[in-house]
Amino acid sequence: MDCWKGTEGRSWIYPTLIICANGFFSTMRPSEAFLTPYLTGPDKNLTLEEVTSEIFPVWTYSYLALLVPVFLMTDYVRYKPVLLLQGVSFIVTWLLLLFAQGVLAMQLVEFFYGLVTASEVAYYAYIYSVISTDHYQKATSYCRSVTLAAATIAATLGQLLVSLAHVSYFHLNAITLASVSLAFVCSFFLPMPQKSMFFHRKDSPETLPGPHKAGITTLDSHRPSNCQEDRSSTVSAERPASEKPAEKAKPQNHMLRVLVQLGQDLRDCYSSSKLLCWSLWWALATAGFNQVLNYIQVLWDTRAPSHSSAVYNGAVEAIATFLGSATSMAVGYVKLNWDLSGELALGFFSAMDAGALFLMHFTENIWACYAGYLVFKACYMLLITIATFQIAVILSMERYALVFGFNNFIALVIQTILTVVVVDPKGLGLAVNTQFLIYSSYFTVIAGIFLIRSAYTLISSKCRNVNMDGEITHQ
């Protein structure tokens, strides 16, 4: 037994295998594509209005409230406890979904699911704390591939069980409960990390890995000087004790010191215009994307009521996940200068997203609505992959996690505003069909911003070239 423990401590395979198993079973949720038909069916007997305006918004609000505390706690307790908390939250969510009744109980379901999604940061961050940087690329690839495969398998399985075996939505949720329970069990076998990115750093080269060691190509010459890794700790370590008066001015409380450092890192990183541009699209588009995903099943139910029509939500989600994976992989084979073409791509594909949402709003045909959703999700997955790479190439691992977390936080703030204004009865309380008109207009604005910026960049580039040619001719 001791030999096995020693082996697992030295190997990257054991923690990678366990975290992948956790990711697979926690994503293997065949009932998720049929949540709205389940809630509005005979099992829960809720109305579409209650689901849309009273139940689903709770997830957005709870996610926003929990995201920052859970993000900090995840790093402070070193990941594994948060993965266990996520497992408990999964189980509570599906127990309530199976056996509780009423609007209040389903609002509680959404609260616990908000805790689940807020805890997702621990899944990817964990693996970097227990393996050497040499294996980051493989481990990251495995973790992401497993979750994509699980999502596709879950949606396909759910559709087959509903359409061919006529399994009830209740039993579909029971299968999901079994799957997330297995994920919880897997969490117990994870080795406890000895370090974390912010609160438990270790003075070794592996504690501050650059993105090139995480499987992300980086060019140091392209990295802005104002977003380089903070080397103040290295410099101060080389000074004699008498030459370090600044240390006495630092906050004595370790947590406060870390928070101050995080604030300084954010300020430095967002002073890069390139990073700011990609982050702006990230926050705006992710807010709209999550909002669409939250209410798309409600729209489908209005186009083809689940109590009187065949439901193909699982098949559509499976195809959408596959297309999203394919477009994400295709980005790796596209050779473009994203500094010049990036904003044009953001504007063009955001315009396609807007067109897909307009189609979903105006059509009454469920198949056209399904097709619009496939286009919408594929375009978003394509762009988010490009944005992820463009942001990551100029950041260290710590700032990589910090900036992505902050971008998601801003996206969640924007999504909450959309929910309060468009969905919540205290706001406009619009019908779901009208909501999608708002979302399509929202993506039209995003497309306009980046198409205009792309045109401005192109014109400025041509003007600079003309001026340079003129100076050469004059000389």
Side-chain angles (χ1 to χ4, degrees), residues 49-65:
E49 290 73 20
E50 289 173 329
V51 170
T52 304
S53 60
E54 297 182 46
I55 296 174
F56 283 174
V58 175
W59 170 76
T60 304
Y61 302 149
S62 59
Y63 188 11
L64 177 64

Side-chain angles (χ1 to χ4, degrees), residues 274 277-278 281-282 331 334-350 382-384 386-387 389-390 446-447 449-455 457-458:
K274 175 184 175 182
C277 176
W278 287 98
W281 178 86
W282 177 301
V331 171
V334 176
K335 304 300 181 183
L336 282 178
N337 184 342
W338 293 110
D339 289 338
L340 295 177
S341 307
E343 291 170 352
L344 179 61
L346 292 176
F348 176 77
F349 286 105
S350 294
L382 171 69
L383 290 180
I384 200 67
I386 298 170
F389 174 79
Q390 289 301 308
I446 296 175
I449 291 172
F450 287 95
L451 286 174
I452 291 172
R453 182 173 170 82
S454 174
T457 302
L458 181 61

Side-chain angles (χ1 to χ4, degrees), residues 224 226-227 265-276:
N226 56 9
C227 202
D265 285 352
L266 283 174
R267 180 195 61 193
D268 291 344
C269 287
Y270 285 106
S271 62
S272 165
S273 59
K274 175 184 175 182
L275 186 144
L276 185 61

Side-chain angles (χ1 to χ4, degrees), residues 166-208:
H166 305 291
V167 172
S168 68
Y169 297 138
F170 179 88
H171 291 102
L172 216 55
N173 279 288
I175 295 172
T176 298
L177 175 60
S179 181
V180 297
S181 299
L182 286 173
F184 177 60
V185 172
C186 289
S187 301
F188 280 100
F189 295 94
L190 291 168
M192 185 66 185
Q194 299 303 310
K195 64 180 181 179
S196 65
M197 288 186 179
F198 305 113
F199 289 101
H200 303 284
R201 293 181 178 181
K202 287 191 175 182
D203 297 328
S204 66
E206 288 186 0
T207 308
L208 292 169

